[in-house]
Amino acid sequence: MIDTVSPERLLARADLCARWAGLALGAVVAQALATTGGDDMAMPFVSAVTAFGLCAVGGVLLGDSLTPAPQEAVRTAGLAPRRVRDHVPPRMAPLLVFQAACVVVLLTIGAAAASPDRIGRTGRALAVTCGRTTRHLGPWPGLYYAAPVLVSLTLGTAACVWSLRRIAHRPGDNLRRHDRSWAITAAWGLLASSQLLLVVGMIARVLFYSKCAGMLGNVTALVVYPLVLLSLFSLGWCLFTIVMPRAVGDE
């Protein structure tokens, strides 16, 4: 007896394969970019993190596009308006938005405080004065590193918001909207959390090597270091949700 697979199961498998393919492609591209040679050792890692996040977003969006809305003979709809916030994770979504806001704020502060490095390249270091000695510590999240991060975060945010609105207003049952909205939110969160971890890592490295940070450095460390744990937790949740969205509970 020949087993037959329904079209819905085939589309579900295609959706899952697209998500896995996005993560796999992102890992390959990130590894290639991270090993790129050059005089700047930080930019390859910035490019690698950015590429991995964008590939993850692209894989989830591709999987969603492979699953068309169900074609029913008679379409019915409730009277309640469909809202995006009703389908995204109620607790993780605000947390991911907070992390994206932290990325923007930290990069804005970093760009304002940045200075040229030892050979005069702007937006790559932080000038720290200890007594009569001024040191240029880097890499620092100045405008040189902030530009690709902000551009990728803007593009990823626009694509995911458009997709979430599309899912909320197209035909289908709430369970499908729920699963796909969670996956897209997780893909965007993966992009934001990985970039936050990158930016915080740059700041933490400068604080570690600075001997004259003083009280301002201690306060900055108290704010920055907890963000590392927060971003690591979010990265784990986002990866697991992309791969197995039905297995994650947030309610």
Side-chain angles (χ1 to χ4, degrees):
M1 185 175 181
I2 300 177
D3 295 333
T4 59
V5 181
S6 64
E8 292 186 357
R9 290 186 62 86
L10 288 176
L11 291 174
R13 292 178 183 178
D15 179 21
L16 186 59
C17 288
R19 299 180 190 183
W20 276 95
L23 294 175
L25 178 61
V28 172
V29 174
Q31 183 180 7
L33 292 174
T35 56
T36 302
D39 57 346
D40 189 351
M41 298 180 61
M43 183 54 78
F45 287 98
V46 174
S47 302
V49 171
T50 300
F52 179 74
L54 289 177
C55 287
V57 171
V60 173
L61 295 181
L62 175 62
D64 179 66
S65 66
L66 293 175
T67 309
Q71 302 296 326
E72 300 175 350
V74 179
R75 291 176 53 184
T76 60
L79 297 178
R82 297 174 182 172
R83 300 176 299 182
V84 172
R85 65 186 182 193
D86 294 333
H87 303 291
V88 298
R91 285 190 286 269
M92 284 302 299
L95 185 62
L96 296 175
V97 171
F98 169 74
Q99 293 181 61
C102 288
V103 172
V104 176
V105 171
L106 291 176
L107 289 179
T108 302
I109 297 175
S115 61
D117 59 9
R118 289 175 294 180
I119 59 177
R121 297 176 299 185
T122 60
R124 302 192 185 194
L126 179 68
V128 179
T129 302
C130 294
R132 298 181 179 180
T133 304
T134 300
R135 302 175 59 194
H136 297 271
L137 302 178
W140 176 259
L143 186 60
Y144 177 74
Y145 300 110
V149 172
L150 291 176
V151 169
S152 63
L153 184 61
T154 301
L155 293 176
T157 301
C160 290
V161 169
W162 173 83
S163 185
L164 288 173
R165 290 179 59 85
R166 172 174 169 267
I167 291 173
H169 295 94
R170 73 180 181 185
D173 57 81
N174 285 330
L175 180 59
R176 291 183 180 180
R177 294 193 190 98
H178 175 89
D179 289 341
R180 303 199 181 285
S181 296
W182 277 46
I184 292 173
T185 303
W188 178 79
L190 182 65
L191 175 64
S193 298
S194 60
Q195 291 178 337
L196 177 60
L197 186 62
L198 175 68
V199 173
V200 170
M202 288 184 175
I203 297 175
R205 184 180 185 277
V206 170
L207 290 177
F208 179 79
Y209 285 103
S210 176
K211 305 300 182 182
C212 300
M215 182 59 68
L216 180 60
N218 294 332
V219 173
T220 304
L222 290 176
V223 174
V224 166
Y225 290 151
L227 292 178
V228 175
L229 299 178
L230 179 62
S231 59
L232 288 174
F233 166 76
S234 299
L235 280 174
W237 183 90
C238 291
L239 283 171
F240 192 65
T241 304
I242 292 173
V243 177
M244 301 181 64
R246 293 176 181 270
V248 178
D250 187 55
E251 298 178 325

